[in-house]
């Protein structure tokens, strides 16, 4: 089995910063795209940022210029540096990874359990 474990969430004031981490573990051949999604109460889960195995990134318009996604392939870990946080960034943030497992010929999406980010005065 594969597990994705997020960490780094918490409560911050508007304008503050947080850095989220997500580490994948288990039987893994390789990881292609990794990303972060978020979901606020009563709203649909939405894409925040993704990064390919080659380092190409994509961000939601709402976080461009404020968030930075990165990865450490040796550690099977993806990060999300969040700066200039706004109340509307409040959500549960979920890690996603496109993973090739032993014996499989295609990649499969895996999800973490989520970490809470709250931005409030």
């Amino acid at each position: 089995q594969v597990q994705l474990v997020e960490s780094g969430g918490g409560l911050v004031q508007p304008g503050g910063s947080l850095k989220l981490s997500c580490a994948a573990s288990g039987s893994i051949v390789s990881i292609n795209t990794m990303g972060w999604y978020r979901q606020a109460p009563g709203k649909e889960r939405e894409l925040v940022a993704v990064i390919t195995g080659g380092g190409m990134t994509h961000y939601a318009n709402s976080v461009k210029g404020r968030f930075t996604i990165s990865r450490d392939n040796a550690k099977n870990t993806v990060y999300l540096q969040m700066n200039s946080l706004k109340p509307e960034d409040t959500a549960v943030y979920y890690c996603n990874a496109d993973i090739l497992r032993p014996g499989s010929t295609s990649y499969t999406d895996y999800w973490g359990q989520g970490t809470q980010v709250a931005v409030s005065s």
Side-chain angles (χ1 to χ4, degrees):
Q1 293 287 348
V2 171
Q3 297 85 38
L4 273 61
V5 179
E6 302 103 331
S7 62
L11 174 64
V12 296
Q13 295 182 334
S17 297
L18 283 174
K19 187 173 184 178
L20 307 182
S21 299
C22 172
S25 63
S27 185
I28 297 169
V29 175
S30 63
I31 303 178
N32 191 12
T33 301
M34 306 183 79
W36 290 95
Y37 295 72
R38 66 187 182 187
Q39 187 169 23
K43 300 182 68 176
E44 293 291 321
R45 187 173 300 186
E46 64 177 353
L47 171 70
V48 176
V50 295
I51 182 167
T52 69
M56 183 179 299
T57 60
H58 173 76
Y59 298 91
N61 288 334
S62 59
V63 307
K64 284 182 179 177
R66 300 187 298 121
F67 292 10
T68 302
I69 189 170
S70 61
R71 65 192 289 168
D72 184 337
N73 291 329
K75 296 181 178 180
N76 288 337
T77 299
V78 63
Y79 306 93
L80 185 68
Q81 177 66 53
M82 304 185 294
N83 299 324
S84 302
L85 283 162
K86 304 175 180 180
E88 51 262 45
D89 296 317
T90 296
V92 177
Y93 284 69
Y94 296 91
C95 173
N96 172 266
D98 196 17
I99 296 174
L100 181 66
R101 299 266 285 126
S104 179
T105 59
S106 62
Y107 287 81
T108 300
D109 279 350
Y110 291 84
W111 293 89
Q113 296 286 70
T115 185
Q116 176 70 57
V117 172
V119 185
S120 176
S121 299

